Amino acid sequence: MHTFLSCLNAELRKNRNSMAVWLSLAGTAANVLLFLGLHLVDGELGGGFSAGSWREYITNHYAGIAFMMLPLYVIILCSLAFQMEHRQEMWVQLHTLPVAPQQVYLGKLAFLLLLFVGAHLLFILGMLLSGLLFGLIGPANKLLEELPSLGQIAGLSARTVLSILGLMGLHAWLSFRFSTFIVPLLIGILGYVVAGLLGAAWPWQFLNPYAPSFLFMPRYEGEIAAGQLGWLSAAELMSLAYLGLFTALALRALNRRRVG
């Protein structure tokens, strides 16, 4: 545990001014401003982004990021984080250090998850602040007459994180496996396009690691019916399973390199 925490701390220090961090900050700010603008325009010109209550305003934000922005963000984030190691040939040098490469990989994966969660918390803060601004200067609504539902935010944010875990595990493994930035990026774009073409209503879509991030909002809004186990949907359970599977594949590959 101490080695893992040291590796995570090293990732945090190393990535303080990295492109992955700047992408997270800039992308989050851009999303908040974009959605505020769409709500201010309202109606068809704003892509149907109209809201008369906090519930609608929050739902619009999550529906806006779920289909496109979440999967593409995770794909690019993983590629950026691992490209730094490939460029400096750190995966080769690790086998000469008294640190288990598996711990380094887990530290990097934990950093990616923390960065995603941090960016999402910033997104929530921006959503709430922009909602107050929308209540002041936007069309007639009730955003200044009521409080946002913390339960709704907590539920949607939890499903957001759960929905990207499998995709993060897959693209961390792909970004580790391929030293060039473009290969995992192309695989990710292809997987995202295929998932979109199959559509949310395809019954086997829950098996697709690219699908959970845009399945949870149609399910939340009652547009599709999906199997579930307790609170978790089938797609979210598969997301957890894919995280475990692809992390195990990466750790096995690192162990074989070390033994070899």
Side-chain angles (χ1 to χ4, degrees), residues 59-260:
T59 299
N60 287 345
H61 276 68
Y62 277 92
I65 64 171
F67 178 71
M68 179 181 296
M69 296 172 184
L70 284 179
L72 293 181
Y73 167 58
V74 171
I75 290 166
I76 296 172
L77 187 66
C78 291
S79 296
L80 286 173
F82 279 83
Q83 184 60 28
M84 180 185 298
E85 309 300 339
H86 287 302
R87 189 168 56 245
Q88 300 173 3
E89 296 187 353
M90 280 300 298
W91 294 115
V92 177
Q93 297 178 31
L94 279 175
H95 296 287
T96 66
L97 301 176
V99 178
Q102 293 89 340
Q103 296 290 339
V104 177
Y105 184 91
L106 292 175
K108 185 170 286 293
L109 194 60
F111 163 74
L112 289 171
L113 181 57
L114 284 176
L115 184 56
F116 181 90
V117 170
H120 192 66
L121 290 175
L122 185 61
F123 173 78
I124 292 173
L125 176 61
M127 176 180 65
L128 295 176
L129 293 176
S130 70
L132 294 176
L133 184 59
F134 179 58
L136 286 171
I137 66 177
N141 56 64
K142 299 180 180 179
L143 270 69
L144 296 182
E145 301 174 12
E146 61 185 24
L147 293 174
S149 170
L150 296 182
Q152 181 191 16
I153 295 173
L156 287 174
S157 60
R159 293 195 185 279
T160 297
V161 174
L162 284 170
S163 72
I164 59 91
L165 291 179
L167 183 60
M168 183 172 287
L170 168 59
H171 273 270
W173 174 67
L174 288 174
S175 298
F176 161 71
R177 174 66 179 79
F178 296 100
S179 59
T180 57
F181 180 88
I182 194 66
V183 174
L185 187 61
L186 287 176
I187 294 174
I189 293 173
L190 179 61
Y192 164 76
V193 170
V194 169
L197 291 174
L198 290 172
W202 187 50
W204 298 104
Q205 188 73 292
F206 71 96
L207 296 174
N208 187 342
Y210 292 91
S213 61
F214 64 80
L215 283 179
F216 78 89
M217 282 309 297
R219 178 175 176 269
Y220 174 79
E221 295 178 292
E223 297 175 3
I224 61 171
Q228 63 183 70
L229 181 63
W231 186 78
L232 294 173
S233 70
E236 290 158 356
L237 288 169
M238 288 305 303
S239 182
L240 289 167
Y242 281 130
L243 174 64
L245 171 64
F246 291 113
T247 301
L249 288 175
L251 296 181
R252 182 172 179 269
L254 282 166
N255 185 60
R256 291 179 66 180
R257 289 185 187 182
R258 191 177 183 89
V259 171

